[in-house]
Structure formats: structure tokens, C-alpha cells
Amino acid sequence: MKMTTLLFVMLLFGCNQGNTANKGHQQTTLPKVSIKPETKDSISSFGPNSIVRTVMKDKKGHIWMASWDGIFRYDGKSFTNMTSKVSSARFFSIIEDRKGHFWFGTIGEGAYYYDGKSFTHFTTKEGLLNNEVTSICEDKKGNIWFGVSGGASCYNGKYFRNYIIEGNAIHEALTWKTFPESQPMGVQMIMEDKKGKLWVGSKGALFTFDGNTFTALKNKEGQAFVNVWSITEDQKGTIWFSAENGLWRYDDSTFSKFSEFGAISIMEDKKGNIWTSSTTAMYNKHWTLSRYDKKSLSTEKPTATEISSKQLIFGILEDADGTIWFGTGHGVYRYDGMTITDFKEKQGDY
């Protein structure tokens, strides 16, 4: 089953643990744009109306959304468009780093860094490999990784190190290399596991990175995992990921297919249930938000409870009270176990 893909889609402390020499990378000059994002006209009781690709919660308990309408923050009462005065870009990815600051990825305008007072813009001019940023990850050393069209970029606070996809391999660019245009291959997901290993999902393969080498992983038939959009690690340390041919899990030694249907997003809730947003044979033009009960995860035929079906369903988040937030092609929704609440202003999209 082919998953529909929506999108076209050193060194003082180097990103590469095994090599800290300056390989032609130049220091990044960062222009800051001082603004006051929380203006009256950007606060509303409604959330975004367009695509919401990523939903996350910050250390203060606020819900953040990366959408085609901008970056929204929900404080439990109202929504604030944090980027309404900064950019009209299509925002795709978002993380909060260890300092409590935020990184936003866009499609076409690179990445933004927000320290709570001002924004810093990163593009290929500053050394980012490409301006299509589909994933962002902070590793244990504090380096910020960007999954982009053409490969990945690692930023250590002073410099970028860029890594380029060529076939089923990723290698470091030894010169000041960037891609001004969209590339046929790209990194779609980056995640660091509890052991400090990076997992990198691309259109062509699934990779791990140990600080020195990217290794392409294959199933027992020797085939690469193609079109990897989502990767997560559960409480037990099992790695879950979605590829073009299904949903998989890896338990330190063995890859096993969990479902025939891939997922654009995978999340484990506090009870150990697995949630996915995916296409199914039944809903070939729609996506479903599904929950796999923890008790069925070890069975040969795990059963999924369908919570919602819509034209597109993307990122999933569990809030502190157990409610589930999920982004769609037309805004963000919240599920409290019984009712699905719609936060968009324009009604009648579904």
C-alpha cells in the first residue's frame, strides 16, 4: 500500500562526534528580527483553518501547532498566531529545545528560532542545506538537526554541517554545499532514541547515525524501508516507524511488521496504547485516527479502534489530562474520549 504523500516534499562542538575539523564550513551570521508576536489582532478563540502538520506541548503546558496559517499557541482559553507579524510561510515542524526556546520549520523559507522575544531566520544563506524543513530534532548534546529536502543539516549554535542523500547512502558535504531547489530525495523525520542514536527517515531508506556513520537499515529480505515519514520510541525502548509498505517496530534485534498500513504520525499514550494517523483500504481517500490497545500490541493480529476519519490527519499529541489533539487538512481537533471538538473558524469543511 502506498501512502499518500502531501508534500513535495566547526566547530567548537561539532555535530559529528568523530570529526571536529572545519571542512570548509563557514561561521553563520544570524540577523535577528525583534518583534512583539502577541499582538491583539493575532489572538483568537479559533485555531488555524488550514493544514496543521505538527502538534506539540511545551514545558508550560501550552499546545503549539505548526500550520499553513502560521505557528499557533493555545493556552487553554485562546489561540495566538505567534508568527502573524513574521512570516506567511507554510509551517511544517516545531520543537522546544532544552532552553525552552522554539524552532519552527517551513516549506520554502527555511527555519525560524524563537527565544520568547525575537525571531532568528535560518535559510540556505546561513548554511542550511535546503529551505524545505520537514523535521527538527535536538540531540543530547544540544545540536539542532533539520530534516530537509536533499538530506539533513546539523547546527551546533555556530555552524551548520550538512549531510546529503545519494541513493541509499548519506554522506557529509565537505564544502559549503546547499540546495537552492527542491530535491527528489529528502529526510522526512529525525528522532534520537534513549541511547543517543539518531534515527533518520527518508524517502529512500531508514538510517541510523552513531555520530560517525549513517547506516541504511533493511528488513530480513534485504529490502530498504522506503518513504519513512514517522518514527517514535515507546516506554520500553521499542522503535516504531512507518514505511511505504506498512507500520513496523524494532526491538533491538528484529524488525517486525505491525500493520499493512503506514502512518504519517505515531504516538504512544501514557497507558501504552499506540495511536496512528494513516490511510486504510476502507478509506482510500481519507485518513483515520486509530488507537491500538496496549493489550493487543503483542498479538499476531492487533486490533485498532477507529476514532475519526477525515481527508487528511497528521500530527498527534496527548495532553496532560489524557485528551488527544490531532492536526488535519483543515485545522486542529481535540478528542476527550467521547467527543471530538473542532477549533477552526470556518465550518463545513468535512
Side-chain angles (χ1 to χ4, degrees):
M1 186 278 302
K2 267 198 182 212
M3 252 176 34
T4 302
T5 302
L6 180 65
L7 302 171
F8 9 86
V9 265
M10 70 175 190
L11 304 171
L12 300 179
F13 300 96
C15 298
N16 186 326
Q17 299 172 11
N19 191 342
T20 58
N22 191 324
K23 295 184 177 182
H25 304 270
Q26 66 186 54
Q27 190 161 1
T28 302
T29 301
L30 303 178
K32 282 198 172 183
V33 182
S34 296
I35 63 162
K36 294 181 179 179
E38 297 184 54
T39 55
K40 291 183 179 180
D41 60 353
S42 66
I43 299 176
S44 172
S45 58
F46 301 106
N49 288 303
S50 64
I51 289 172
V52 175
R53 182 57 183 81
T54 305
V55 187
M56 62 147 291
K57 183 171 66 173
D58 68 17
K59 296 178 177 68
K60 297 179 180 179
H62 298 148
I63 305 296
W64 293 69
M65 290 140 267
S67 81
W68 265 216
D69 292 336
I71 296 290
F72 283 74
R73 187 188 67 189
Y74 180 67
D75 62 5
K77 296 181 180 180
S78 59
F79 291 84
T80 301
N81 188 332
M82 306 297 291
T83 55
S84 62
K85 304 298 182 182
V86 181
S87 172
S88 59
R90 296 170 295 174
F91 286 88
F92 196 97
S93 48
I94 177 173
I95 67 162
E96 181 182 18
D97 66 22
R98 63 185 63 190
K99 297 179 181 178
H101 301 161
F102 296 87
W103 299 80
F104 312 132
T106 76
I107 299 301
E109 289 192 12
Y112 287 86
Y113 169 69
Y114 177 55
D115 64 5
K117 296 180 180 179
S118 62
F119 287 80
T120 303
H121 193 194
F122 295 85
T123 67
T124 54
K125 293 181 181 179
E126 285 72 47
L128 190 67
L129 181 63
N130 187 269
N131 290 330
E132 294 181 8
V133 182
T134 53
S135 181
I136 311 176
C137 170
E138 182 183 27
D139 67 23
K140 296 183 186 302
K141 292 188 173 183
N143 301 311
I144 305 298
W145 288 82
F146 302 90
V148 303
S149 178
S153 291
C154 179
Y155 180 63
N156 66 357
K158 293 182 180 294
Y159 303 93
F160 282 96
R161 296 184 78 117
N162 290 333
Y163 300 86
I164 298 173
I165 295 179
E166 289 189 353
N168 288 331
I170 298 180
H171 64 84
E172 183 179 358
L174 301 183
T175 59
W176 183 253
K177 175 70 175 179
T178 60
F179 292 122
E181 304 295 337
S182 179
Q183 301 297 303
M185 288 293 177
V187 169
Q188 301 169 150
M189 182 66 190
I190 302 179
M191 184 210 73
E192 186 180 40
D193 65 22
K194 297 172 184 176
K195 298 178 180 179
K197 180 186 294 184
L198 283 182
W199 292 75
V200 180
S202 76
K203 292 182 180 180
L206 172 67
F207 300 88
T208 58
F209 180 63
D210 61 6
N212 292 292
T213 305
F214 287 89
T215 302
L217 304 179
K218 299 180 180 180
N219 60 23
K220 61 182 180 181
E221 285 78 29
Q223 300 172 331
F225 298 100
V226 178
N227 202 17
V228 178
W229 264 110
S230 52
I231 311 170
T232 193
E233 183 179 20
D234 67 18
Q235 300 167 24
K236 297 179 179 179
T238 300
I239 303 297
W240 296 76
F241 64 93
S242 170
E244 189 172 272
N245 62 345
L247 181 63
W248 294 77
R249 54 186 173 185
Y250 177 72
D251 62 1
D252 278 340
S253 60
T254 305
F255 290 101
S256 57
K257 183 180 285 191
F258 182 77
S259 169
E260 293 295 327
F261 305 112
I264 202 72
S265 185
I266 311 168
M267 183 205 72
E268 182 191 32
D269 66 22
K270 289 177 288 190
K271 296 180 180 179
N273 305 313
I274 296 295
W275 294 72
T276 64
S277 56
S278 64
T279 58
T280 69
M282 183 181 298
Y283 294 96
N284 58 345
K285 293 184 179 180
H286 285 71
W287 295 71
T288 62
L289 175 67
S290 303
R291 182 187 65 231
Y292 290 89
D293 186 82
K294 178 182 179 180
K295 296 179 181 179
S296 73
L297 297 182
S298 59
T299 63
E300 292 185 2
K301 294 183 179 181
T303 57
T305 299
E306 181 185 312
I307 305 301
S308 178
S309 66
K310 297 187 181 299
Q311 185 178 2
L312 294 165
I313 298 178
F314 298 112
I316 314 169
L317 169 74
E318 182 184 25
D319 205 348
D321 59 3
T323 57
I324 303 297
W325 291 76
F326 58 100
T328 74
H330 295 276
V332 67
Y333 292 75
R334 182 177 64 192
Y335 174 62
D336 65 5
M338 297 185 65
T339 305
I340 296 177
T341 302
D342 176 3
F343 289 96
K344 66 181 182 293
E345 183 175 6
K346 298 177 183 178
Q347 304 297 320
D349 290 305
Y350 290 104

